[in-house]
């Protein structure tokens, strides 16, 4: 997860850029090459790694899908 700045991840021939609006989830350790793209002394790169169980990731994805479906129906939760 990136809180500030951006990073590029190279996996084989594929490039992935992530930043505060885009995150990366993997289910196993991968041979990656990474490069920080955006960082300054005033706004340094700030990121963290969170190890989550597959059950927790699945549960969050279900909750997000339910909330999106609920919102698409025109309802809002209080």
């Amino acid at each position: 997860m990136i809180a500030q700045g951006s990073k590029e991840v190279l996996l084989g021939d594929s490039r992935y850029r992530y930043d505060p609006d885009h995150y990366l989830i993997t289910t196993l350790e991968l041979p990656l090459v990474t490069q920080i793209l955006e960082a300054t002394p005033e706004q340094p790169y700030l990121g963290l790694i969170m190890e989550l169980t597959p059950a927790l990731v699945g549960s969050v994805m279900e909750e997000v899908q339910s909330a999106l479906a609920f919102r698409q129906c025109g309802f809002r939760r209080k």
Side-chain angles (χ1 to χ4, degrees):
M1 181 182 313
I2 306 298
Q4 187 170 276
S6 69
K7 187 178 217 177
E8 182 176 64
V9 175
L10 304 174
L11 176 60
D13 293 334
S14 300
R15 294 175 180 261
Y16 303 93
R17 182 180 172 130
Y18 62 113
D19 54 34
D21 296 324
H22 303 92
Y23 53 88
L24 177 67
I25 295 179
T26 63
T27 57
L28 53 107
E29 291 191 34
L30 300 170
L32 303 172
V33 175
T34 64
Q35 178 179 358
I36 295 171
L37 300 176
E38 291 180 36
T40 65
E42 295 80 26
Q43 292 189 323
Y45 171 82
L46 178 60
L48 66 120
I49 296 173
M50 297 175 15
E51 292 189 21
L52 307 172
T53 65
L56 178 61
V57 172
S59 174
V60 170
M61 289 176 68
E62 286 178 10
E63 287 184 35
V64 168
Q65 289 175 346
S66 293
L68 290 173
F70 195 75
R71 207 180 300 161
Q72 288 175 350
C73 292
F75 299 107
R76 292 200 174 151
R77 294 183 179 168
K78 291 186 179 185

